[in-house]
Amino acid sequence: MSPARHSAQPIDKPLHGIRVLDLTRLLPGPMATMHLADMGAEVIKIEDLGMGDYARTMGPVRNEVSQFFVAVNRGKHSLRLDLKNAEDRAAFLDMVATADVVVESFRPGVMDKLGVGWHVLKERNPRLIMCAISGYGKDGPFAQLAGHDINYIGMAGILEQNVGRDGFPALGNLQVGDLLGGAQAAVQGILAALVGVKCGGTGRFVDVSMTDAVFAHNIMPLVAVNNFGKPADPGLDLLTGGVPCYNVYRTSDGRFMAVGALELKFWEGCCEVLGRPDLKSRHWSLGQEVGGADALAVRKELDAIFSQETFATWTERFSKSDCCVTPVLRTDEALSHPLFEARGMALRSKHPTEGEYWATGPAVKFHS
């Protein structure tokens, strides 16, 4: 890490002076390196000479680039190299000598075949951190298998628990394996390794398995297995629909309200707003069986209550009571909501070729 690159570090850019070489494509890796860029790192996105990052052409393409690509690659510099070419490979190795981090998302072994595997890179720069993001990790029986988010959360026992009231596994539009298993785990590992180097340690290879990472966070089903020998029935655990105080309810106009009154005091406040104080004592903390007959009966009563008024009416009523009940917003509504405007999270930005578009602000804020 060059001292010159660390001069005058801004409060909100704690990674100012860190140089990252980003060889990743699609979603997990680019999101991870964008987080690093948001925290002040200099990120150089390196793409091949052909189509480059596949995200460039995923979804509607205007002026040669998609909104998917724009959404996860802000704040980065761009460079094209062919690592199969000796001259370009030498140029990459020269960059490695002054870099702090290299991030890649190829299948295990591809970097070695290109002549830029970990053993080569650490010889060039012993303080280097190399992070490899893959579906199933660098070793093990699935190491060479392809996969996507649906496969990772399916193997980790998460998808089985994520069901609607019809009992069918639901595909949420937050890619848990890619973003939390891949991107966030990579950021976590990279930051820990950077601290290790700063404390006098050597460089490290950070092996991120997206499946391992989501499996490690599958906490509530794990608790159930340890308590009862098996996970709860899908859709009937404490946080998946098995209690009326933590559930989603449809309004008269087909919208939804999210009730998160998990603690008794919040449930009591919710019952007051609903005009049903008689339901206050029917709460899991007072002995109501999770997923049991009484819980489902009260849930049915709340279904009927919420269906009597509009989304706007319930939103207004619950806005006056701090009881963990909120509207289920669409993304376009969230972008214009005061919550995200006030926090600087919903931004209108301009791209040189794409024109004006919505963007989210940095996920983490820093203050002096």
Side-chain angles (χ1 to χ4, degrees):
M1 303 180 193
S2 169
R5 289 195 268 133
H6 287 268
S7 61
Q9 186 188 74
I11 288 294
D12 64 339
K13 304 294 182 184
L15 294 185
H16 176 74
I18 298 297
R19 181 170 293 154
V20 179
L21 305 182
D22 176 12
L23 297 172
T24 66
R25 301 168 176 172
L26 296 174
L27 182 57
M31 191 72 181
T33 57
M34 188 177 77
H35 285 318
L36 299 177
D38 284 343
M39 290 186 278
E42 176 193 8
V43 178
I44 303 172
K45 184 176 179 69
I46 301 172
E47 300 174 73
D48 61 51
L49 303 183
M51 67 184 300
D53 187 342
Y54 312 139
R56 286 183 175 274
T57 55
M58 289 188 71
V61 173
R62 301 196 309 270
N63 298 316
E64 300 181 358
V65 69
S66 72
Q67 277 295 327
F68 176 27
F69 181 86
V70 171
V72 296
N73 285 291
R74 69 161 176 262
K76 305 176 187 178
H77 304 289
S78 184
L79 180 66
R80 295 273 186 161
L81 289 175
D82 178 6
L83 294 180
K84 295 178 181 179
N85 175 277
E87 186 175 332
D88 282 6
R89 187 164 57 251
F92 174 71
L93 290 173
D94 286 343
M95 295 172 68
V96 166
T98 59
D100 300 294
V101 181
V102 170
V103 189
E104 59 98 352
S105 58
F106 302 115
R107 290 198 206 194
V110 169
M111 291 287 283
D112 291 316
K113 291 178 181 177
L114 291 171
V116 289
W118 171 234
H119 295 292
V120 173
L121 300 190
K122 72 177 181 179
E123 284 293 322
R124 184 61 63 101
N125 182 352
R127 292 167 62 83
L128 182 74
I129 293 154
M130 179 175 175
C131 178
I133 305 170
S134 63
Y136 302 106
K138 68 181 287 293
D139 48 31
F142 277 34
Q144 292 301 318
L145 294 183
H148 283 295
D149 187 88
I150 191 172
N151 308 116
Y152 311 144
I153 64 175
M155 291 299 298
I158 291 175
L159 187 56
E160 183 266 348
Q161 288 283 299
N162 256 11
V163 303
R165 292 195 185 182
D166 61 359
F168 203 86
L171 296 177
N173 211 10
L174 171 68
Q175 288 68 46
V176 175
D178 286 348
L179 295 173
L180 303 183
Q184 285 300 124
V187 170
Q188 172 185 320
I190 290 167
L191 294 181
L194 284 170
V195 172
V197 169
K198 182 175 177 58
C199 291
T202 62
R204 288 170 171 83
F205 180 88
V206 181
D207 174 21
V208 174
S209 158
M210 289 183 269
T211 307
D212 284 358
V214 293
F215 183 61
H217 289 88
N218 198 19
I219 299 301
M220 298 304 285
L222 174 64
V223 169
V225 168
N226 287 332
N227 283 333
F228 310 112
K230 66 181 184 67
D233 291 337
L236 292 177
D237 206 354
L238 182 66
L239 303 181
T240 60
V243 290
C245 65
Y246 199 89
N247 231 301
V248 177
Y249 297 97
R250 189 189 301 268
T251 63
S252 64
D253 51 351
R255 298 295 301 276
F256 294 91
M257 298 295 293
V259 175
L262 198 59
E263 294 85 352
L264 180 60
K265 64 179 181 179
F266 296 134
W267 173 243
E268 291 172 341
C270 175
C271 292
E272 286 291 341
V273 176
L274 294 175
R276 290 295 302 275
D278 58 301
L279 297 177
K280 290 181 180 181
S281 63
R282 299 170 75 177
H283 188 259
W284 70 274
S285 69
L286 298 177
Q288 183 186 66
E289 181 187 358
V290 176
D294 187 69
L296 298 184
V298 176
R299 189 179 78 178
K300 188 173 181 179
E301 289 198 53
L302 263 64
D303 280 334
I305 294 169
F306 275 98
S307 70
Q308 294 171 9
E309 301 289 354
T310 66
F311 176 77
T313 298
W314 286 123
T315 299
E316 173 62 21
R317 288 182 185 176
F318 279 103
S319 69
K320 301 171 184 176
S321 178
D322 184 20
C323 60
C324 302
V325 180
T326 54
V328 176
L329 299 178
R330 301 189 309 262
T331 301
D332 57 333
E333 292 171 331
L335 286 167
S336 60
H337 195 281
L339 168 64
F340 299 109
E341 287 185 344
R343 292 280 295 169
M345 288 299 297
L347 308 171
R348 291 294 281 177
S349 300
K350 286 189 175 182
H351 187 271
T353 58
E354 273 289 280
E356 197 170 34
Y357 66 99
W358 280 107
T360 60
V364 178
K365 306 286 194 298
F366 298 93
H367 306 280
S368 58

